[in-house]
Structures are given as C-alpha cells and as structure tokens.
Amino acid sequence: VSSDGEVIVGTTGQFGFVWQRGFIKTFLVNQKYCRVRGVSPNGVFITGEYLEVDTCWNASLNRGFVAYTDAPVIDGTIWGVPLPSIGDGNNHPYCLSDSLGFAVSDTGLIVGTSFMGLQSENRSFVATSWFPLTKLGSHLPGDVDVNSYVYDVSADGQISVGHHDGVAYGAVRWMNSLEENLNTVFRPRPCGLAFANSISRDGRYIVG
C-alpha cells in the first residue's frame, strides 16, 4: 500500500491488480500472467513478476517488471519494463534466469532477488537491485546455494532490508550496497533476528 493509502496492489488469481482511489483494474503484464508485490510509497511505480518462456531451456520462469500505476490498460494488459537477472547468460549466452521484484522506491529503484543460473558456479538466488543492475551483499564464486533476498526499500532508495542465508540468524540491511547483519547492529535478546521484511518510508524503522 502507498504511504497515503490511496494505492493498493496485489494479485487475484493469475492477474495483478491496482486499487486506486476507489477503482480497481486487473491486468496481465506484457500479455503474461503476473503477480504484483510492491508499490512505491508515493504510489507511482509497481513491481512484481510475470511468467516468461525461456526458449533456451524451453521452460517457464519468473521475470521481474516495473510499471507505472497510471499506465493505460490495453486489452487487459499493462506494458512493463522487464527486469534482467544477474544470472542471464551465465555460461550460456542466450539463457535467461529468474528475477523477482519485491519493492520499489519513490525514485524507481527496484529491489528483489535474481537467480545466478543453473550453469553458473553460484546456483543461488542473490539479493538484487535494478537501475542500475546491482548484486547486493558479498557473494563470491563458489558461494553455492547461499540465498539472499531483499524484501523492501526506503523511499529514497538508500536503505534496503531482507534475509541472507550466509550470515548468523539471517536478517540483514544494505546501505549503499554494503551489507550489515542486523543481529550485530541491534544485539537482540534472547533470540536472533531471522527476516527483515519491511522498512519505513524514512528508513528509521524495520519490522520482521
């Protein structure tokens, strides 16, 4: 939901929807079934993923997208911008990999996760931001199957939060692409912080 409560997004069946100022529009993205996961605090951008067929593997995969909430729906379709995966073309130049958009800032910076690719040394999902395409955290070759996910971002796009399997307990924060274990920052008692699911618009409050 947007900060002013005027825009709500989600998924109904295999269609995304935007509830905006009392009106609901349901749609596909790029003529494909989709899931809408996030709306920017100012209500301008939406993100999520749609199903795409990769001709390299002849299989369906998730492709993240970003679109405007006010984009016209033509024949039940909103045309969004596809989000590439860090793993696109890894050791196989024409192959695509999964990407998922979870949240978007007021500036249009999208955060989520993308798959490194079945043919890569790192077969994990890695926390990713787009525009520019950036891998968050400290994933190195050989860091196999250590997944990380970024679930939310502040309004200015400077602070993101999520989960990383490679750190103790798992809850993390990224500031300017540098990763912090929230268990080290806040020293919770008596148990560890596992998932950071959301962050306030100003970046001061984290829930999970």
Side-chain angles (χ1 to χ4, degrees):
V1 61
S2 62
S3 291
D4 61 7
E6 290 294 313
V7 182
I8 300 170
V9 300
T11 304
T12 172
Q14 293 178 309
F15 293 82
F17 76 84
V18 174
W19 180 95
Q20 194 170 14
R21 292 181 288 276
F23 296 93
I24 290 179
K25 55 184 178 184
T26 59
F27 56 88
L28 306 173
V29 171
N30 300 355
Q31 298 181 326
K32 309 286 175 52
Y33 292 127
C34 68
R35 177 184 289 114
V36 184
R37 293 184 184 268
V39 58
S40 59
N42 62 9
V44 172
F45 301 101
I46 56 175
T47 190
E49 65 271 355
Y50 62 93
L51 284 177
E52 183 70 272
V53 175
D54 176 25
T55 56
C56 178
W57 302 109
N58 193 28
S60 294
L61 52 80
N62 291 301
R63 203 69 172 167
F65 75 90
V66 63
Y68 290 107
T69 54
D70 286 328
V73 179
I74 302 172
D75 294 330
T77 298
I78 279 183
W79 293 96
V81 176
L83 302 178
S85 171
I86 294 284
D88 283 353
N90 270 354
N91 295 336
H92 217 299
Y94 302 109
C95 291
L96 303 178
S97 292
D98 287 275
S99 60
L100 305 171
F102 284 123
V104 57
S105 71
D106 283 350
T107 61
L109 183 144
I110 302 99
V111 297
T113 188
S114 61
F115 187 56
M116 291 297 292
L118 292 172
Q119 299 298 311
S120 72
E121 292 179 315
N122 183 331
R123 297 186 299 274
S124 61
F125 280 90
V126 296
T128 305
S129 67
W130 287 270
F131 304 116
L133 177 64
T134 304
K135 179 169 56 176
L136 301 177
S138 54
H139 291 269
L140 302 173
D143 192 9
V144 178
D145 297 332
V146 178
N147 299 311
S148 62
Y149 306 87
V150 50
Y151 293 125
D152 202 8
V153 62
S154 59
D156 62 7
Q158 297 299 306
I159 306 172
S160 302
V161 294
H163 172 85
H164 189 173
D165 285 345
V167 304
Y169 297 108
V172 290
R173 171 174 65 184
W174 292 275
M175 303 177 68
N176 299 317
S177 298
L178 298 177
E179 183 178 286
E180 296 178 303
N181 183 344
L182 290 180
N183 291 275
T184 301
V185 175
F186 295 112
R187 302 185 185 280
R189 296 292 186 269
C191 55
L193 304 175
F195 292 87
N197 295 105
S198 189
I199 189 169
S200 61
R201 179 188 176 99
D202 61 7
R204 293 186 63 193
Y205 299 95
I206 298 168
V207 298

